[in-house]
Amino acid sequence: WPVGLEVVERRRFRNPADESRLFGPDGLDPAGIAYAPQTETLLRASEGRSGTNSPVFVHAATLGSQFLREIPVDDKYDHRIEQGADGELPQGIFSSAGFESLTLAPAGDVLFVAPEDRLVRDGTPAKAGNGVTGLARSVRYERVGESWASAQEFAYEVSAREDSLSGDGVISLVNLLAVDDDALL
């Protein structure tokens, strides 16, 4: 651990859509998290899981992990809409390829989220192998009071995955870092 860093307590993500406030088995695939100092909140994203009722989401929570609000996500990312009984996806994310990255710009007024791969509507996933490449999306949000509003959407190229069985050669979006309000690494 870096000098001065101490892990004090572990908290569970709370599910605002369930009476128990807990996520069920395979109901959560958290990936991105950022601290928003202006509102003293945690922003967190989950990839969601197709084939389940687990949505792609971006939430704001207290530092103690208490849910505050859902940050609106466009329906085109929701794999649960019109999902077939056989699990066939007419839209949304591919399995466990939702919001992998979440980053807050240094000034704290711009938030970026991005899925790991393309959406169903955009073609075959790069994770499928066979040299598939293509454009995926990232979303730029702007802070509005204590919440966030989607402002822009950008395309980025997802590189092909070389071997979809062993995981060797996997190249997909894993993380982003906002350098400022308009530049990402």
Side-chain angles (χ1 to χ4, degrees):
W1 290 96
V3 174
L5 181 64
E6 180 181 338
V7 176
V8 177
E9 185 176 350
R10 186 176 131 204
R11 303 277 175 125
R12 289 187 67 150
F13 277 36
R14 301 293 182 197
N15 182 354
D18 189 274
E19 281 186 39
S20 72
R21 296 288 187 227
L22 302 176
F23 286 95
D26 295 326
L28 178 66
D29 191 355
I33 191 164
Y35 173 64
Q38 292 83 350
T39 56
E40 295 186 353
T41 57
L42 291 176
L43 302 170
R44 56 197 190 188
S46 178
E47 288 190 76
R49 291 192 186 268
S50 61
T52 73
N53 201 28
S54 171
V56 170
F57 69 72
V58 182
H59 287 169
T62 67
L63 295 179
S65 196
Q66 180 182 358
F67 173 82
L68 292 172
R69 71 190 58 81
E70 191 163 344
I71 295 169
V73 173
D74 191 290
D75 281 350
K76 72 177 150 240
Y77 292 91
D78 193 342
H79 60 278
R80 300 169 305 162
I81 297 174
E82 299 180 22
Q83 182 173 337
D86 61 356
E88 185 176 326
L89 300 171
Q91 74 156 54
I93 61 153
F94 288 100
S95 182
S96 192
F99 291 145
E100 179 73 23
S101 179
L102 178 146
T103 184
L104 189 64
D109 293 328
V110 173
L111 169 71
F112 293 93
V113 295
E116 183 177 355
D117 207 337
R118 297 199 259 182
L119 298 179
V120 170
R121 72 189 322 174
D122 297 328
T124 306
K127 286 178 131 184
N130 301 322
V132 174
T133 62
L135 298 179
R137 303 156 186 259
S138 63
V139 183
R140 183 182 189 269
Y141 286 86
E142 294 177 356
R143 190 162 62 87
V144 178
E146 292 189 0
S147 195
W148 299 87
S150 175
Q152 293 174 297
E153 191 173 76
F154 301 94
Y156 64 90
E157 186 170 356
V158 179
S159 300
R161 180 174 177 163
E162 296 172 18
D163 180 349
S164 62
L165 296 176
S166 72
D168 294 338
V170 174
I171 302 175
S172 58
L173 181 84
V174 177
N175 211 349
L176 294 172
L177 175 65
V179 176
D180 59 35
D181 289 356
D182 299 305
L184 298 168
L185 293 176

